[in-house]
C-alpha cells in the first residue's frame, strides 16, 4: 500500500475538504495581526469547565497536539464532521455526510470520543448533533462553520479572510448551540490542520485551544480498512490524538477501522479518553 500518502495528497490537491489531508501545520508567518474585535460570546459555558491551555507567547491561541507520553496508556479518538456550505444539495440527494453506524459502534464499544463539528454539519444534522451533544460519552468541539481554510495555502480549500476568522468560529458555535449542543467545548480544530501565527492571533480573544493530532488515520477517501487500521495501530503512542472522520461518504471505512482498532488497543493496555482529559493531564487549567 505504498501510494497511500501520495494518493491522499493527490486527492487533497484536488481540493478535498478533509482534515486528514494534512499531517501538520506550522506557525511561521510574520503577517500582521488583524485588529482584535471586542469580546462577545464565550464559546463554552459548561458547568464542569473543560480544561484549556494557557495562551502561547504574545497571547497567541495555544495549540495542543498530544497528551503526556509518560502518564499511562491513554489515547483519544477524534472524529471530524466536515461539511461545506455548498454540499446541501448532495446531502438532499442522499449522500451521507453523517455516519450513524459509526456513532452506534462507538456507543456499543463504549469508546469516549471527541467530535469536531462544523457548524454547517450541525445545521444539516441537528438531531444527530443534539444527540451527540447530550451524550456524556462524547464531547463536541468546533471545526469552523464551513470547513474553509485559515491559511492561504491548505490543500486547495477556499480561504477565510483574516478579519472573518473569529466570526467564522463564532458562527459555528452558534450553529452547534442552535442544533442543541448545550456545551460545545472551547476547542477548535483548523480545517485541514492548517494554521499560522496570523490565524492563532485572529482567534486569540476567543479563549479556545487549537487541537491538532499526532496520528493521521488516513481514513479520508480510503477504501482499504486494513491499511487504515494498520496506520492507526502503528502510530498510536501513550497520549496520542488520532484524527478520523464521521462523514460516511468521504470516509467509508472508518466504522470498520474502529471495530478493529478498539479491541486491539485495549488488548495492548490502552484506555480511550476524550481530548479534554489529555489536555487536563497536560497542565490545562479550568
Ligand atoms: Zn476537517
Amino acid at each position: 500500500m505504498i501510494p497511500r500518502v501520495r494518493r491522499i495528497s493527490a486527492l487533497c490537491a484536488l481540493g478535498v475538504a478533509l482534515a486528514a489531508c494534512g499531517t501538520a501545520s506550522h506557525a511561521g508567518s510574520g503577517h500582521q495581526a488583524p485588529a482584535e474585535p471586542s469580546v462577545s460570546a464565550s464559546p463554552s459555558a459548561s458547568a464542569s469547565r473543560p480544561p484549556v491551555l494557557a495562551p502561547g507567547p504574545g497571547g497567541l491561541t495555544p495549540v495542543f497536539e498530544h497528551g503526556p507520553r509518560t502518564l499511562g496508556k491513554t489515547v483519544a479518538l477524534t472524529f471530524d464532521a466536515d461539511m461545506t456550505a455548498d454540499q446541501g444539495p448532495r446531502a438532499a440527494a442522499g449522500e451521507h455526510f453523517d455516519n450513524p453506524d459509526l456513532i452506534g459502534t462507538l456507543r456499543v464499544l463504549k469508546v469516549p470520543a471527541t467530535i469536531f463539528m462544523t457548524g454547517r454539519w450541525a445545521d444539516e444534522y441537528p438531531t444527530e448533533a443534539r444527540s451527540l451533544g447530550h451524550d456524556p460519552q462524547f464531547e463536541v468541539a468546533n471545526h469552523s462553520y464551513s470547513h474553509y481554510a485559515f491559511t492561504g495555502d491548505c490543500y486547495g480549500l477556499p480561504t477565510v479572510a483574516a478579519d472573518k476568522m473569529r466570526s467564522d468560529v463564532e458562527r459555528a458555535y452558534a450553529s452547534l448551540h442552535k442544533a442543541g449542543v448545550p456545551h460545545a467545548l472551547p476547542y477548535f480544530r483548523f480545517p485541514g490542520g492548517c494554521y499560522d501565527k496570523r490565524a492563532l492571533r485572529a482567534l486569540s480573544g476567543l479563549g479556545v485551544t487549537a487541537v491538532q493530532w499526532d496520528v493521521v488515520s488516513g481514513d479520508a477517501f480510503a477504501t482499504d480498512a486494513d491499511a487504515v487500521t494498520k496506520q492507526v495501530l502503528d502510530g498510536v503512542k501513550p497520549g496520542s490524538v488520532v484524527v478520523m472522520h464521521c462523514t460516511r461518504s468521504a470516509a467509508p471505512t472508518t466504522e470498520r477501522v474502529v471495530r478493529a482498532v478498539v479491541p486491539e488497543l485495549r488488548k495492548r493496555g490502552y484506555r480511550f479518553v476524550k481530548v479534554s482529559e489529555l489536555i487536563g493531564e497536560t497542565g490545562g487549567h479550568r
Side-chain angles (χ1 to χ4, degrees):
M1 286 310 297
I2 353 83
R4 158 155 244 88
V5 169
R6 176 170 298 175
R7 186 169 57 82
I8 289 175
S9 298
L11 285 161
C12 292
L14 293 174
V16 246
L18 283 169
C21 290
T23 51
S25 38
H26 46 281
S29 129
H31 292 253
Q32 274 300 103
E36 274 299 329
S38 61
V39 175
S40 50
S42 162
S44 171
S46 167
S48 60
R49 306 195 37 100
V52 293
L53 296 181
L60 290 185
T61 297
V63 180
F64 177 77
E65 291 180 349
H66 60 78
R69 300 298 194 193
T70 54
L71 286 184
K73 288 184 164 182
T74 51
V75 56
L77 299 186
T78 68
F79 297 89
D80 293 355
D82 296 357
M83 194 158 179
T84 59
D86 60 356
Q87 287 173 329
R90 285 166 56 182
E95 187 169 340
H96 272 273
F97 294 89
D98 61 345
N99 194 340
D101 290 347
L102 168 63
I103 301 301
T105 293
L106 290 170
R107 284 180 165 137
V108 168
L109 296 176
K110 297 187 172 16
V111 179
T114 304
I115 312 290
F116 288 91
M117 192 181 288
T118 56
R120 181 65 189 83
W121 195 96
D123 289 350
E124 187 71 29
Y125 303 106
T127 307
E128 291 174 52
R130 185 177 191 285
S131 169
L132 289 164
H134 281 80
D135 187 337
Q137 185 180 322
F138 299 105
E139 59 188 16
V140 177
N142 192 317
H143 193 34
S144 82
Y145 180 74
S146 186
H147 212 264
Y148 280 17
F150 282 59
T151 61
D153 180 16
C154 182
Y155 310 108
L157 294 177
T159 305
V160 184
D163 63 353
K164 299 282 194 304
M165 289 177 180
R166 180 182 170 126
S167 58
D168 182 274
V169 176
E170 290 176 324
R171 184 182 179 194
Y173 277 120
S175 281
L176 267 53
H177 187 76
K178 185 174 169 221
V181 177
H183 303 301
L185 274 78
Y187 304 154
F188 177 69
R189 174 164 282 166
F190 285 102
C194 301
Y195 67 92
D196 55 19
K197 273 188 184 167
R198 186 180 65 156
L200 295 178
R201 208 173 282 135
L203 304 186
S204 62
L206 285 173
V208 297
T209 294
V211 175
Q212 297 286 105
W213 54 81
D214 65 316
V215 178
V216 178
S217 70
D219 69 341
F221 308 102
T223 52
D224 183 345
D226 292 344
V228 179
T229 298
K230 182 176 187 316
Q231 188 157 313
V232 173
L233 293 177
D234 287 351
V236 166
K237 296 195 274 282
S240 277
V241 176
V242 183
V243 59
M244 306 175 101
H245 294 85
C246 53
T247 52
R248 197 174 77 195
S249 70
T253 67
T254 309
E255 195 249 348
R256 281 160 55 209
V257 171
V258 163
R259 281 183 189 278
V261 158
V262 167
E264 177 58 28
L265 285 176
R266 281 180 169 153
K267 206 167 86 185
R268 296 181 188 180
Y270 278 92
R271 180 170 65 89
F272 292 93
V273 299
K274 298 176 220 174
V275 165
S276 57
E277 182 169 333
L278 294 183
I279 290 181
E281 288 176 350
T282 307
H285 64 276
R286 291 173 194 274

